[in-house]
Amino acid sequence: MKKKLTLLFIALVVMAVLPMLAVKTPAPDSKEEKKLDITQICVEAVAYEMPPSFEQEALKAQCIACYTNFVRKGTISRMTDKEMQEKWGEHYEEYKAAIVKAVKAVAGKALTDRDGKPIDAAYHAISGGQTEDAKYIFGGEDSHLKPVSSGGDVNAPDYLSQKEITAGELQKILLAQNITLKGDAGTWLSDVQKTPSGTVLTVKFGGHALSGVKLREWLGLRSAVFDVAYDGKKFVFTVHGYGHGVGMSQYGAEYMAQQGASYQEILLHYYTDCQITPLSPA
């Protein structure tokens, strides 16, 4: 009987202790963890996407655009701390501090539609003077990515660039895309069609209607906003801006910031029919 009572006592003790052992140490506040993660993600994203010497309001605008896309897609390009040190050298501390300051001011804010969902916050380096309608570049309508003026881009470094391609070189490049050019090169170029923002929709070479976006890719042009002429020996492409031209122009944002615009004014200028709101990642 005594043995049975002892065993019963041990069983009761075990039953009492097990729940206590199963209790985990209280986790850190989830909101604080998320905030810290967001800050780190945004610092690395802004460092990857925008020159760190830009104005604070431009950096803030870039942070919100990056974070918006991170929430929407779950991933975004980022620069590690080691890469920052290697790229910025003696300016590392200064540049990192500037980005951290901007990010901490707006971390967790995103561009959303009227239903509170993150928009496609596309951005590019330099527009051709006016941003592009997304339907011409990505296909499909997007009420948040409509053309707006971006006159400050003309002040950006390398706003204008040129590329010269001989007739023979052009033949080889297009032949790789199964497009054959024959006859006198002086007769190849015709019928350039552009969007209201200046992006080349199509241009004919040897009777073949070619997409300006595709030509940019095949010829290594800085943007699809270009003029082209033949001088008797080579084709000269004069290119305006850098990038696809949709959404926020980074150098345009910098110009607006230099003129005293806030990050809210910058974002709501480049992204139409949207709002800036706090948003947690899924």
Side-chain angles (χ1 to χ4, degrees):
M1 183 67 178
K2 185 175 181 181
K3 184 177 182 181
K4 288 183 178 180
L5 289 173
T6 301
L7 290 173
L8 179 61
F9 176 77
I10 293 172
L12 290 173
V13 170
V14 170
M15 290 175 65
V17 171
L18 280 176
M20 295 175 65
L21 294 175
V23 176
K24 297 180 180 179
T25 301
D29 184 82
S30 59
K31 290 183 180 180
E32 182 64 20
E33 280 190 331
K34 190 171 290 184
K35 181 180 178 181
L36 291 173
D37 288 343
I38 289 170
T39 299
Q40 184 64 21
I41 288 167
C42 289
V43 166
E44 293 174 354
V46 173
Y48 183 88
E49 297 291 355
M50 179 174 272
S53 58
F54 273 19
E55 296 285 335
Q56 277 288 299
E57 297 306 297
L59 293 172
K60 292 175 187 177
Q62 182 67 65
C63 174
I64 292 174
C66 287
Y67 178 64
T68 300
N69 289 332
F70 174 75
V71 174
R72 190 174 66 87
K73 298 185 295 184
T75 183
I76 196 168
S77 298
R78 293 152 66 180
M79 183 187 293
T80 66
D81 199 70
K82 182 179 179 182
E83 290 171 332
M84 294 179 208
Q85 294 180 49
E86 292 174 350
K87 184 173 182 179
W88 300 335
E90 62 181 15
H91 297 289
Y92 165 73
E93 295 290 347
E94 172 193 353
Y95 289 165
K96 176 81 177 286
I99 291 177
V100 169
K101 179 181 178 182
V103 167
K104 284 185 174 180
V106 298
K109 293 183 179 180
L111 290 156
T112 62
D113 61 19
R114 295 178 182 179
D115 296 323
K117 296 179 180 178
I119 70 168
D120 180 358
Y123 47 84
H124 58 282
I126 310 168
S127 80
Q130 177 170 294
T131 64
E132 190 52 88
D133 193 317
K135 68 181 180 181
Y136 294 122
I137 307 300
F138 305 142
E141 293 286 347
D142 190 325
S143 64
H144 315 297
L145 298 173
K146 293 298 182 182
V148 298
S149 63
S150 192
D153 286 317
V154 298
N155 300 307
D158 300 320
Y159 165 74
L160 275 180
S161 59
Q162 277 195 342
K163 184 155 191 176
E164 299 179 348
I165 301 176
T166 66
E169 290 170 337
L170 186 61
Q171 277 182 312
K172 290 179 181 178
I173 291 170
L174 295 185
L175 185 59
Q177 305 300 327
N178 298 314
I179 299 166
T180 303
L181 299 179
K182 298 180 180 179
D184 181 3
T187 66
W188 290 351
L189 178 62
S190 66
D191 198 17
V192 179
Q193 300 291 324
K194 296 184 178 184
T195 70
S197 294
T199 299
V200 173
L201 278 175
T202 58
V203 55
K204 286 186 177 180
F205 277 101
H208 303 279
L210 307 178
S211 158
V213 172
K214 284 296 184 183
L215 273 175
R216 179 201 172 194
E217 177 187 339
W218 297 339
L219 305 181
L221 306 178
R222 284 167 60 85
S223 86
V225 181
F226 61 80
D227 301 306
V228 56
Y230 184 63
D231 66 4
K233 293 183 179 180
K234 58 187 177 296
F235 291 91
V236 180
F237 293 82
T238 303
V239 185
H240 302 252
Y242 184 26
H244 52 60
V246 179
M248 183 178 73
S249 162
Q250 293 171 315
Y251 275 88
E254 169 69 350
Y255 179 80
M256 287 184 67
Q258 289 173 344
Q259 306 310 304
S262 67
Y263 73 87
Q264 295 98 325
E265 291 171 321
I266 293 169
L267 291 172
L268 297 181
H269 172 72
Y270 283 109
Y271 300 105
T272 51
D273 189 31
C274 64
Q275 57 193 348
I276 304 169
T277 57
L279 190 64
S280 298

